[in-house]
Amino acid sequence: MTPQELLLDDAAQGSAPLAERLRPKTLDDVIGQRHLLGAGKPLRTAFQAGRLHSMILCWPAGLGKTRLARLMADGFNAQFIAVPAVLGGVKDIREAVERAQAARASGRRTVIFVDEVHRFNKAQQDAFLPHVESGLFIFVGATTENPSFEVNAALLSRATVHVLQSLSEDDMGELLQR
């Protein structure tokens, strides 16, 4: 069956929307971001070495920051906890910390993903610090703002900033081929 026939067959069966079916399942499936995911590049190297680290993924909207964080968690068989800064607060952070502690007790790592991290105030961002420092979890924040101005310095100093880039014409062509 051709890819097009598979898509039509899946659609006829009422399965997930096309966008969901086309989401990358592994880092190798990600289109674009070669400056981070290509051979010898920072995230690829960290991934291959088994050394996932806390990070801030920034700029433009719609490039898959959330998906990239989820792929990293999946690749390390780590628990993935999303904390949306738009709707969340310290209570959500506490719950995520408790879940990370439970996972650690069973020998499992945790990735805590904070979408729109710039929307958390300084105190909320500070709530992550002791846990990032202790290694309880890997912190991944996503922002469409300049992290130098919108993420507090203490949290920023404990994370690597990775700037995502818009898809090139070649990347768009590859996406259309899929």
Side-chain angles (χ1 to χ4, degrees):
M1 206 177 252
T2 69
Q4 292 82 4
E5 290 169 347
L6 282 172
L7 291 175
L8 291 173
D9 185 49
D10 284 349
Q13 294 177 24
S15 61
L18 178 61
E20 182 60 33
R21 291 185 311 229
L22 290 177
R23 285 191 204 290
K25 306 289 188 265
T26 68
L27 285 181
D28 291 330
D29 294 339
V30 174
I31 294 175
Q33 311 314 323
R34 288 180 192 91
H35 67 292
L36 297 174
L37 299 172
K41 300 301 181 183
L43 289 180
R44 175 69 61 179
T45 301
F47 194 86
Q48 290 171 336
R51 300 194 52 86
L52 191 56
H53 57 276
S54 291
M55 65 187 78
I56 306 289
L57 302 173
C58 64
W59 292 312
L63 290 182
K65 293 180 283 294
T66 304
R67 189 69 194 154
L68 186 55
R70 188 175 294 278
L71 288 173
M72 288 185 280
D74 290 348
F76 284 94
N77 193 31
Q79 172 180 226
F80 181 85
I81 301 172
V83 178
V86 174
L87 302 173
V90 173
K91 177 181 179 258
D92 300 293
I93 296 169
R94 281 192 199 114
E95 288 173 4
V97 167
E98 289 171 7
R99 289 178 58 196
Q101 289 169 331
R104 178 187 251 180
S106 68
R108 192 162 184 219
R109 296 166 77 179
T110 299
V111 171
I112 292 189
F113 176 75
V114 181
D115 197 16
E116 304 290 335
V117 66
H118 61 274
R119 293 188 184 265
F120 270 148
N121 65 36
K122 184 181 182 327
Q124 291 167 319
Q125 291 180 29
D126 282 345
F128 290 104
L129 292 176
H131 310 295
V132 171
E133 289 174 344
S134 73
L136 176 61
F137 53 75
I138 302 298
F139 175 85
V140 180
T143 181
T144 55
E145 303 295 324
N146 185 332
S148 296
F149 298 113
E150 302 296 334
V151 177
N152 83 40
L155 187 55
L156 196 57
S157 73
R158 289 157 179 83
T160 303
V161 175
H162 296 293
V163 179
L164 278 68
Q165 297 174 351
S166 296
L167 297 179
S168 69
E169 285 186 33
D170 289 343
D171 294 335
M172 294 299 283
E174 185 178 343
L175 185 60
L176 288 172
Q177 287 299 317
R178 283 194 191 171

